[in-house]
Amino acid sequence: MADYTYPSIYFAYFLFFLFLAGALYFFLRSFRDGYWGATSEDVKYQMLKDEEAEGHGS
Amino acid sequence: MAAEKEIPSGASSATASHRPVHSDTAAKWFLMSSVVYFFVVGVIALIIAAKFVWPELLGTIPMFSYGRLRPLHVNGMLFGWLLAADMGLVFYFVPRLCGVKLYSEKLGVATAVLWNAIVLGAVVSLLMGWNQGFEYAELPLVLDVAVVVAWILFGVNVFGTVFTRRYPQMYVSLWYTMGCILWTAFVYLTGNFATLFTTGVNQANLNWMYVHNAVGLIFTPVGLALAYYFIPKAGNIPLYSHKLSMIGFWSLAFFYVWTGAHHMIHGPISQWLQTISIAFSLMLLLPVWTVVYNFFATMKGHWPLTRDNVPLKFLMSGVVFYLLTCFQGPMHSLRSVNAIVSKTDWIPGHAHMAVLGAFSFFAIAGVYYSIPRIFHTKLYSDALANWSYWLAMIGGIGFFVTLWLGGFWQGWQWNNPAIPFIDTVVALKPIWAVRFFSGVLIFGGIATFLYNILATVIHAGPRPQEAVHA
Amino acid sequence: MLNKADSNAVWFIVLALVFFAIGGLLTTVAPPLIDKSWAAPFSNSDPSKGLTGQLRPLTELEQRGRAIYVREGCWYCHTQQTRTLLADTKRSGWRGVDSPVSTPDEFVYDSPHLFGTKRTGPDLSRVGGKYDTQWHRTHFRNPRDLVPGSIMPPYPWIANNESEFQAIVAYLQTLGRAKNWRPENDYEK
């Protein structure tokens, strides 16, 4: 077996930084996409309300 | 508080007159059969747990030997009970989240019939010893093909519903359900078909990719879909954060698939691949902790609800088990910890906490919540439901805790070559006895659960008139 | 972009598959292309390069034995890998000689692979030649006759079926024999 131990560790570091960059990018993007606006969380209230008429909601 | 916010305008179009009436026929088929399998396969689980204590039990009958009953237990619980229950619950909540009827109830029933045929075929073939020799992929090729067909039918139904949905924004349960369907397709093909064209370590790598992701990309996403739907519903509390759920979902989508090789740590597979799988196993804390935080934050200030609300009890206990099992996973991927616990009884402890403690608890909660609504009645007995919870919970804790401690102990003994192997077997016997008796308690929980659900359905009778008003 | 994944199902499908495919391809298709040792059968005749020996495909008899091993689910209780752990090389060893660790080139012909995940019984990766046929016959009939306290199930239907018994023993005796690791070559028959 060829020894790829160190390359794999560097690869892991590389990926960690890649994820960090991705996380930052998407965080900044989320402002532009309106994820911090007043309506951005509407869907979680809506899912509570579509109970069927005949359901015995608790 | 946020809960007092106005309902968004998008939802107001769903006035009473537009509300679809869900017939839930497909859901009924899946749920009722899965609950019965839960019980039947529970008997088999008890037998194999007993065989660790009394190895001669049923010892001269090939069909009932350990090597044949174990795959039946695993496949029966995974596919006969859990996945079938998950599919039934998906048929329940997807139309409701989309605000439309299920794409096709007939197709759903056909899927359920095919699924039951597969489960019965699995019982016969595994008892006969027609075993392909791959963990989680034991079933003969014909049945593998049938599973693929059933999964496509299921996917068509779910995506058909999603594409005709009335609310444009998709709730997080829908993402997890769709993700599960898409990823499972590839994961299942890898584990059941691609393995046939490879050998040795290459094949093992594909096999572990499947085994790991059968849990990570089939049962985890659909289980979380249930939790994300039923926790807010059962407590009538809005989810803490939609944004946070996005992080959990997309990090799961990216990280989970990389970790298959951690099943071979220290084994005959390239070290660098092991390292990559370990790195990604640690990254899995991210999707887990964001999701668990979201659930706990949802419950903040509402914990007293769990006292009388059995579905919520099962759900939040499941979340705690999910947190624990997903902490174990990354930790025993570390080489140092793995050297102790790998291949010991810790592993079944870990696996049961994920599949029983977390995902089965979610599914049980879903069944308790949805069956009375599907049959337009009330649950037969809340007291009995409480019993099923405490039996499953106490039995579960007995099972998990003894196997973790026992597994560590076993691993330490193995790491001391001065101890003959057989002494490490004898030392574990008390552990296996406690495991068996914990199993009896869990089985008691399953039996009361089955009885309660069957009694609810039988007492429901025909649909009461006043229920269809509005 | 984020909004789209949130409310556009097609966009969601594409994104979910892309996220999955990166890791999926890199961990399944790429590794055997990078590490060629996964597919090269073990073969060495030069003692200066380490243990000698050669991996050979199973004979028909041994293959039948392997099929019985698969059918009876022996692999749920027995692993076949001596890991890179000192304790493993000692436990797989014999008469004071530590066994070599298992390497991918010893398993090239295995299908289905039988590496296993659980050691209820001992690892079998170097069990070939450890016991003779008579030992195995008694052990299959009732393991507790030889090893008191064992929880291995009895297999009378193998021990009493001469052709199945010969086949599975022939298979067990091949395990871990590609590398000549015992100095005296003192394997049992």
Side-chain angles (χ1 to χ4, degrees), chain A residues 16 35 41 44 50 52 54, chain B residues 96 240 242-243 283 467:
Chain A
F16 281 129
Y35 268 87
E41 297 273 315
K44 75 189 190 197
D50 65 350
E52 267 179 290
E54 74 270 28
Chain B
R96 283 167 175 80
Y240 169 70
H242 176 69
K243 292 191 254 310
M283 303 295 280

Side-chain angles (χ1 to χ4, degrees), chain A residues 3-58:
Chain A
D3 187 359
Y4 291 101
T5 309
Y6 277 94
S8 70
I9 291 173
Y10 296 136
F11 179 70
Y13 281 138
F14 167 72
L15 282 175
F16 281 129
F17 281 108
L18 207 64
F19 300 152
L20 197 66
L24 274 176
Y25 172 75
F26 282 111
F27 178 66
L28 296 177
R29 243 343 260 246
S30 71
F31 286 97
R32 189 140 40 106
D33 286 342
Y35 268 87
W36 302 89
T39 56
S40 64
E41 297 273 315
D42 283 351
V43 62
K44 75 189 190 197
Y45 302 107
Q46 178 203 294
M47 69 81 70
L48 284 177
K49 302 296 174 193
D50 65 350
E51 188 71 73
E52 267 179 290
E54 74 270 28
H56 298 259
S58 42

Side-chain angles (χ1 to χ4, degrees), chain B residues 229-399:
Chain B
Y229 181 80
F230 288 109
I231 290 176
K233 281 293 198 185
N236 201 22
I237 327 158
L239 183 71
Y240 169 70
S241 169
H242 176 69
K243 292 191 254 310
L244 195 57
S245 64
M246 288 192 92
I247 298 177
F249 177 82
W250 291 105
S251 52
L252 178 103
F254 187 71
F255 293 146
Y256 224 122
V257 67
W258 292 79
T259 53
H262 73 195
H263 290 253
M264 293 270 285
I265 291 172
H266 299 300
I269 196 166
S270 319
Q271 290 293 336
W272 55 270
L273 192 58
Q274 298 182 26
T275 306
I276 290 176
S277 72
I278 295 168
F280 277 90
S281 302
L282 283 173
M283 303 295 280
L284 283 185
L285 291 176
L286 189 65
V288 174
W289 286 1
T290 50
V291 167
V292 171
Y293 183 78
N294 214 346
F295 292 148
F296 279 150
T298 303
M299 286 302 287
K300 192 173 170 221
H302 298 282
W303 285 100
L305 283 176
T306 51
R307 194 173 28 192
D308 310 309
N309 190 325
V310 174
L312 211 50
K313 240 188 252 197
F314 270 111
L315 285 163
M316 292 319 289
S317 315
V319 173
V320 174
F321 283 137
Y322 178 65
L323 178 65
L324 287 175
T325 194
C326 290
F327 187 65
Q328 281 186 319
M331 290 308 118
H332 70 216
S333 299
L334 300 174
R335 281 191 174 85
S336 50
V337 183
N338 189 276
I340 302 168
V341 298
S342 183
K343 320 279 185 279
T344 68
D345 276 273
W346 162 283
I347 302 301
H350 167 69
H352 279 83
M353 192 163 50
V355 175
L356 172 73
F359 304 132
S360 289
F361 271 31
F362 293 158
I364 292 172
V367 174
Y368 270 138
Y369 178 91
S370 62
I371 283 286
R373 287 169 174 78
I374 290 176
F375 286 90
H376 310 283
T377 178
K378 283 169 73 128
L379 192 65
Y380 170 70
S381 163
D382 283 331
L384 213 55
N386 246 321
W387 271 97
S388 71
Y389 170 78
W390 286 109
L391 285 169
M393 186 68 186
I394 294 171
I397 289 183
F399 190 114

